[in-house]
Amino acid sequence: MGRRLGIIVGINTYQDTAFRPLQYAENDARALAQWLVNTKGGNWAPADVQHVQGAYATRELIESLIHQACAKVAGPGDLVFVYFAGHAFLNENNGEGYLAFTNTQHQQPTTAIHLPSLVQQAMGGSRAAHVIFMLDCFHTGPAWQMHLSSPFDAKPLLGPNIFNALQQTSDRFILCSCRGNEQAPETGERGLGRFVYRMILGLCGPASEPKTNKITLQSLYAYLLKSLGEQQRPQLFGQERLPLILVGEMHALTTPQESRQRQNEQATPGQSGNVSATFIPGMPSSSAYPQVSTGALKEQTLSSGAATAQLSPTTTGEVALSPTEQQCAMLVKQARHLIQMQNPNEAFNLVEQALRIVPNDIPALILKGQLLGTVGRFEEALYVVGLVLQLDPGNALPWSMRAALLTNTGQYQLALQAIERSLELDPNNPETYSIKTNIMGQIAEQQSQKLMAIRRDGPASFWRGAGIQFLGLIIGLAGAALPVIQPKVSIMLALALQSLGLALLCFNAVRGSYLYGFTRLLLTFFFSVLAAIILGATILLGGVLHTGTGRVYTMLQSKPDLLLPFSFLGIWLALAVALPLLLALFSWIAGLIMGVRRKKG
């Protein structure tokens, strides 16, 4: 029976404000993915369904997932199902359709997925029996109005190239539903978009065929046509040769020879057909990819090269393990049993015993690396995995283990290189694709945080900080000068203004230097120099007292009570010169030590 491979994508908010926020897209994607893998729902294999939403749904990640599923993973009897809930737009220059992702810029179509190219590469280049794209899109931009034949027409998104491609091949489908457009907002039902709510409702039984109780694409389409209004009513494009079964047992679409060939490919040593990067339960949940598998440690398959190195010939011409290798294999087997019994400490001791007998035993080294990974000893685990790769570089499993460990240590680019190597060696392992999905999601999040940090430290942030410094200086000067100008004003009010101004200067200097570095330290230095100039001018005016002339001397002779306010003014200016700059310098050094700006970059 063929596999059902699903890629479910939902995006509510976009970096580009040209795409208005959506209300139901992410809820719809989550609900659909959960229903598909539920044993009482679609009963699809959880490892075969990739669910990506929000900031993780970048163009690069989704394009990679679709290409991998269609071109590399899917076999002759498989179904590939891609659901996309988000914005779609038309290129204003040529009218071609694009799908928008969280990092898409509306005026830069290259940052979106070009739908005709995607259809040609993913559908045309796939061995899958069926491929269906379900596009639940919000129609964005003015270009739609020039091509619509009805308010919710999806045909402009596809264009003539896609229509021609769908006519030239069978069992390739695109089903479109309009989530909304510039005139019509989204409509929901019980917390979901109306289209997905009615689709899940139909998949639960009402859309099934009476004779077989299976739910096919055609039976679901007929149900939705009756259940939905004009806005969400779907449009289906493509030619069917064999029924596309969404729920229920799939037809055997491969010949017996093809089936045997696929089974042999999966069982052939050296390809790691059913080997996955597996850690026992207990991997810390805060790690980047905490658990590659929720089950106990699986029996590992070695590549043919490694197996040959472990075997020795007998007098009869057959191959058999030497006594020491047999003892080592027995200890590894006992260790796996202890892991299943939730006793990893004793398992680790047995693995160490096995490695003392045969230091280069690959199954023992792999098990040791997995055990070290589960307790967070990632550097030691990486060293062990490195030994395995020196012994058997053609084994996909240690490459997947290396990728998972590097992800846990935040080395995402190296992890991506390792998982790509694993996929080259074993392109049919869904668990490896799960690791890659997580790594690319972490990279996307890291890039998003970097962009946010750049925005926070951009020109607007700089001038906002300068404004706060200037405001603090003005408020403090006003408080210090108020008793001189208006002696009858309460001294408490003057002290309050001076304190507020100094607090603003110090807080903004500390925060800016700590978070944003040297530019904010220079900003604080500038305002300290400005305060020093004002202080110098005040002292210069005070120096006129010795000559017995000048306005300050005359003012103090007639009003001796002003001597104290003038002194407070000088003291406040001295504090405004020294204190913010000193605190900013310490904060800048603290930021360097803590690596705040390095993490944000």
Side-chain angles (χ1 to χ4, degrees):
M1 186 175 72
R3 296 161 61 190
R4 296 183 177 100
L5 307 173
I7 299 172
I8 315 298
V9 183
I11 310 171
N12 278 353
T13 56
Y14 287 74
Q15 296 175 13
D16 189 347
T17 55
F19 302 109
R20 67 173 63 177
L22 301 177
Q23 183 177 356
Y24 302 111
E26 292 180 13
N27 285 350
D28 289 352
R30 188 184 305 109
L32 180 58
Q34 290 174 350
W35 189 91
L36 289 175
V37 302
N38 194 308
T39 54
K40 296 182 179 179
N43 199 26
W44 291 25
D48 291 339
V49 177
Q50 307 284 347
H51 170 219
V52 187
Q53 68 178 43
Y56 293 105
T58 62
R59 178 189 66 82
E60 296 81 4
L61 174 60
I62 303 305
E63 196 168 40
S64 173
L65 287 177
I66 294 174
H67 176 72
Q68 294 281 5
C70 291
K72 295 187 177 181
V73 179
D78 296 339
L79 159 68
V80 179
F81 172 73
V82 179
Y83 170 82
F84 172 80
H87 282 271
F89 66 96
L90 303 181
N91 189 323
E92 296 181 6
N93 296 323
N94 56 26
E96 294 185 336
Y98 288 82
L99 301 181
F101 296 87
T102 182
N103 58 342
T104 295
Q105 298 296 313
H106 185 260
Q107 296 302 320
Q108 300 176 27
T110 55
T111 61
I113 286 185
H114 181 229
L115 194 55
S117 299
L118 180 68
V119 169
Q120 179 182 3
Q121 296 170 7
M123 289 189 171
S126 178
R127 296 183 303 158
H130 295 96
V131 180
I132 175 172
F133 287 1
M134 192 172 287
L135 307 179
D136 189 8
C137 298
F138 193 96
H139 298 171
T140 302
W144 281 95
Q145 301 304 319
M146 297 184 292
H147 299 85
L148 290 176
S149 59
S150 63
F152 307 108
D153 184 16
K155 291 180 182 178
L157 181 63
L158 276 60
N161 291 334
I162 294 180
F163 285 124
N164 292 335
L166 293 176
Q167 289 174 0
Q168 293 172 8
T169 185
S170 59
D171 297 324
R172 301 294 186 262
F173 305 95
I174 298 180
L175 187 146
C176 299
S177 173
C178 181
R179 182 170 287 272
N181 54 39
E182 303 297 338
Q183 287 76 38
E186 285 183 282
T187 56
E189 195 167 352
R190 299 195 180 184
L192 299 175
R194 184 165 294 170
F195 172 74
V196 167
Y197 175 78
R198 294 301 176 93
M199 179 170 65
I200 293 177
L201 195 65
L203 289 171
C204 288
S208 62
E209 294 182 340
K211 294 182 180 179
T212 63
N213 286 328
K214 296 178 181 179
I215 298 177
T216 65
L217 176 61
Q218 293 296 340
S219 65
L220 177 64
Y221 176 60
Y223 171 82
L224 292 175
L225 286 178
K226 296 185 294 183
S227 303
L228 293 168
E230 182 187 12
Q231 178 170 331
Q232 291 83 24
R233 188 173 294 131
Q235 294 177 278
L236 179 62
F237 308 98
Q239 302 181 79
E240 185 175 77
R241 179 177 60 91
L242 295 170
L244 190 160
I245 301 173
L246 295 168
V247 180
E249 185 177 351
M250 296 176 66
H251 296 298
L253 299 179
T254 57
T255 65
Q257 291 81 0
E258 288 174 332
S259 299
R260 283 195 297 271
Q261 182 181 356
R262 292 186 65 192
Q263 291 172 1
N264 291 334
E265 287 174 354
Q266 292 175 356
T268 300
Q271 301 302 317
S272 302
N274 58 357
V275 175
S276 57
T278 309
F279 294 140
I280 62 173
M283 183 78 81
S285 60
S286 60
S287 59
Y289 195 81
Q291 278 183 248
V292 182
S293 174
T294 56
L297 278 168
K298 301 175 183 177
E299 294 290 331
Q300 307 298 337
T301 302
L302 298 177
S303 69
S304 57
T308 304
Q310 301 287 328
L311 300 177
S312 58
T314 66
T315 56
T316 60
E318 298 175 353
V319 289
L321 293 174
S322 68
T324 56
E325 290 167 342
Q326 288 178 6
Q327 186 181 0
C328 178
M330 182 61 67
L331 288 171
V332 172
K333 185 176 181 180
Q334 291 173 0
R336 290 198 179 105
H337 178 70
L338 286 171
I339 291 169
Q340 293 174 353
M341 301 299 293
Q342 301 297 317
N343 194 349
N345 292 330
E346 286 298 323
F348 188 81
N349 292 334
L350 289 180
V351 170
E352 289 287 70
Q353 290 181 35
L355 289 172
R356 282 195 290 270
I357 298 170
V358 184
N360 291 334
D361 184 74
I362 291 181
L365 287 170
I366 287 174
L367 198 53
K368 181 179 179 179
Q370 291 169 332
L371 286 166
L372 289 170
T374 62
V375 294
R377 294 162 63 178
F378 301 128
E379 294 300 329
E380 296 174 70
L382 280 168
Y383 174 76
V384 174
V385 170
L387 294 178
V388 177
L389 289 173
Q390 290 178 17
L391 297 168
D392 185 16
N395 191 344
L397 170 61
W399 286 107
S400 293
M401 290 176 62
R402 176 175 168 80
L405 291 165
L406 288 169
T407 303
N408 281 301
T409 58
Q411 302 176 70
Y412 303 124
Q413 292 297 338
L414 292 176
L416 187 60
Q417 294 174 15
I419 205 65
E420 289 288 5
R421 177 58 179 153
S422 180
L423 286 170
E424 288 177 10
L425 296 169
D426 178 15
N428 298 317
N429 193 325
E431 206 161 16
T432 309
Y433 286 102
S434 297
I435 301 174
K436 181 178 179 180
T437 300
N438 179 267
I439 294 170
M440 297 190 70
Q442 294 291 339
I443 292 174
E445 184 179 19
Q446 193 178 56
Q447 292 173 345
S448 177
Q449 290 175 351
K450 183 177 179 180
L451 288 173
M452 291 176 65
I454 292 172
R455 290 174 182 174
R456 286 196 298 267
D457 194 25
S461 175
F462 178 85
W463 290 113
R464 188 162 52 246
I468 293 173
Q469 290 286 98
F470 184 73
L471 180 64
L473 185 62
I474 293 299
I475 292 175
L477 281 173
L482 193 59
V484 178
I485 301 171
Q486 295 290 336
K488 295 182 180 180
V489 172
S490 171
I491 190 66
M492 297 304 295
L493 176 60
L495 287 174
L497 289 174
Q498 292 175 44
S499 300
L500 177 60
L502 191 61
L504 284 173
L505 287 172
C506 293
F507 175 78
N508 195 58
V510 168
R511 181 180 180 275
S513 299
Y514 183 76
L515 292 178
Y516 304 120
F518 192 68
T519 55
R520 299 305 176 90
L521 181 63
L522 285 178
L523 180 64
T524 303
F525 177 76
F526 171 79
F527 278 95
S528 292
V529 170
L530 184 60
I533 292 172
I534 298 172
L535 176 61
T538 304
I539 293 173
L540 184 63
L541 288 173
V544 181
L545 294 174
H546 298 291
T547 66
T549 60
R551 296 180 61 186
V552 174
Y553 179 80
T554 305
M555 184 184 300
L556 290 176
Q557 271 194 328
S558 59
K559 297 180 180 179
D561 294 342
L562 293 179
L563 181 60
L564 185 62
F566 265 111
S567 301
F568 269 104
L569 175 61
I571 292 171
W572 188 90
L573 283 169
L575 289 172
V577 171
L579 192 58
L581 184 59
L582 189 62
L583 292 173
L585 182 60
F586 282 124
S587 296
W588 177 66
I589 295 172
L592 287 177
I593 295 172
M594 299 298 292
V596 172
R597 293 173 292 280
R598 182 171 64 252
K599 292 175 185 176
K600 291 172 64 175

